[in-house]
Short mmCIF file of all heavy atoms in Angstrom, two decimals:
data_model
loop_
_atom_site.label_atom_id
_atom_site.label_comp_id
_atom_site.label_asym_id
_atom_site.label_seq_id
_atom_site.Cartn_x
_atom_site.Cartn_y
_atom_site.Cartn_z
N TYR A 148 -6.51 -17.65 10.93
CA TYR A 148 -6.58 -16.49 11.81
C TYR A 148 -7.95 -16.31 12.45
O TYR A 148 -8.05 -15.71 13.53
CB TYR A 148 -6.05 -15.23 11.12
CG TYR A 148 -4.56 -15.18 11.34
CD1 TYR A 148 -3.69 -15.72 10.42
CD2 TYR A 148 -4.03 -14.68 12.52
CE1 TYR A 148 -2.33 -15.75 10.65
CE2 TYR A 148 -2.68 -14.70 12.77
CZ TYR A 148 -1.82 -15.22 11.83
OH TYR A 148 -0.48 -15.26 12.08
N GLU A 149 -8.99 -16.89 11.87
CA GLU A 149 -10.27 -16.93 12.57
C GLU A 149 -10.15 -17.87 13.76
O GLU A 149 -10.65 -17.58 14.85
CB GLU A 149 -11.40 -17.39 11.64
CG GLU A 149 -12.75 -17.50 12.33
CD GLU A 149 -13.26 -16.20 12.94
OE1 GLU A 149 -12.84 -15.10 12.54
OE2 GLU A 149 -14.11 -16.30 13.85
N ALA A 150 -9.45 -18.98 13.58
CA ALA A 150 -9.21 -19.90 14.69
C ALA A 150 -8.40 -19.22 15.79
O ALA A 150 -8.71 -19.34 16.98
CB ALA A 150 -8.51 -21.16 14.19
N VAL A 151 -7.35 -18.50 15.40
CA VAL A 151 -6.53 -17.77 16.38
C VAL A 151 -7.39 -16.75 17.12
O VAL A 151 -7.32 -16.65 18.35
CB VAL A 151 -5.33 -17.08 15.68
CG1 VAL A 151 -4.64 -16.11 16.61
CG2 VAL A 151 -4.36 -18.12 15.15
N ARG A 152 -8.22 -16.02 16.41
CA ARG A 152 -9.08 -15.01 17.04
C ARG A 152 -10.01 -15.66 18.07
O ARG A 152 -10.11 -15.21 19.21
CB ARG A 152 -9.91 -14.27 15.98
CG ARG A 152 -10.75 -13.12 16.54
CD ARG A 152 -11.73 -12.59 15.50
NE ARG A 152 -12.81 -13.52 15.23
CZ ARG A 152 -13.86 -13.72 16.04
NH1 ARG A 152 -13.97 -13.06 17.18
NH2 ARG A 152 -14.80 -14.58 15.71
N GLN A 153 -10.68 -16.74 17.66
CA GLN A 153 -11.62 -17.40 18.57
C GLN A 153 -10.91 -18.01 19.77
O GLN A 153 -11.40 -17.92 20.90
CB GLN A 153 -12.40 -18.49 17.82
CG GLN A 153 -13.42 -17.95 16.86
CD GLN A 153 -14.23 -19.06 16.21
OE1 GLN A 153 -14.29 -20.18 16.71
NE2 GLN A 153 -14.85 -18.75 15.07
N ARG A 154 -9.77 -18.63 19.55
CA ARG A 154 -9.04 -19.26 20.65
C ARG A 154 -8.48 -18.22 21.62
O ARG A 154 -8.49 -18.44 22.83
CB ARG A 154 -7.93 -20.16 20.10
CG ARG A 154 -8.47 -21.43 19.46
CD ARG A 154 -7.43 -22.20 18.69
NE ARG A 154 -7.99 -23.43 18.17
CZ ARG A 154 -7.40 -24.61 18.24
NH1 ARG A 154 -6.21 -24.73 18.80
NH2 ARG A 154 -8.00 -25.68 17.76
N THR A 155 -8.03 -17.10 21.10
CA THR A 155 -7.54 -16.02 21.96
C THR A 155 -8.67 -15.46 22.80
O THR A 155 -8.52 -15.26 24.01
CB THR A 155 -6.90 -14.90 21.10
OG1 THR A 155 -5.81 -15.47 20.36
CG2 THR A 155 -6.40 -13.76 21.97
N ARG A 156 -9.81 -15.24 22.18
CA ARG A 156 -10.97 -14.72 22.91
C ARG A 156 -11.41 -15.70 23.99
O ARG A 156 -11.74 -15.30 25.10
CB ARG A 156 -12.13 -14.45 21.94
CG ARG A 156 -13.35 -13.88 22.65
CD ARG A 156 -14.39 -13.46 21.69
NE ARG A 156 -13.96 -12.20 21.09
CZ ARG A 156 -14.58 -11.62 20.09
NH1 ARG A 156 -15.63 -12.18 19.54
NH2 ARG A 156 -14.16 -10.49 19.62
N LYS A 157 -11.39 -16.98 23.68
CA LYS A 157 -11.80 -18.01 24.66
C LYS A 157 -10.85 -18.01 25.86
O LYS A 157 -11.28 -18.10 27.00
CB LYS A 157 -11.83 -19.38 24.00
CG LYS A 157 -12.31 -20.48 24.93
CD LYS A 157 -12.39 -21.82 24.22
CE LYS A 157 -12.86 -22.89 25.17
NZ LYS A 157 -12.94 -24.19 24.51
N ARG A 158 -9.53 -17.89 25.62
CA ARG A 158 -8.56 -17.86 26.71
C ARG A 158 -8.72 -16.62 27.58
O ARG A 158 -8.48 -16.67 28.78
CB ARG A 158 -7.13 -17.89 26.16
CG ARG A 158 -6.65 -19.26 25.77
CD ARG A 158 -5.15 -19.29 25.53
NE ARG A 158 -4.71 -18.35 24.52
CZ ARG A 158 -4.59 -18.60 23.23
NH1 ARG A 158 -4.92 -19.80 22.78
NH2 ARG A 158 -4.17 -17.69 22.40
N GLN A 159 -9.12 -15.51 26.97
CA GLN A 159 -9.27 -14.26 27.71
C GLN A 159 -10.54 -14.18 28.53
O GLN A 159 -10.65 -13.36 29.41
CB GLN A 159 -9.20 -13.07 26.74
CG GLN A 159 -7.83 -12.91 26.13
CD GLN A 159 -7.80 -11.84 25.05
OE1 GLN A 159 -8.82 -11.40 24.55
NE2 GLN A 159 -6.60 -11.44 24.68
N SER A 160 -11.51 -15.04 28.20
CA SER A 160 -12.78 -14.97 28.95
C SER A 160 -12.81 -15.90 30.12
O SER A 160 -11.97 -16.58 30.48
CB SER A 160 -13.98 -15.24 28.05
OG SER A 160 -13.80 -16.29 27.18
#
Side-chain angles (χ1 to χ4, degrees):
Y148 273 93
E149 178 60 22
V151 169
R152 185 190 71 76
Q153 288 183 20
R154 288 169 177 226
T155 300
R156 182 173 284 172
K157 183 177 179 180
R158 280 193 303 269
Q159 292 173 345
S160 43

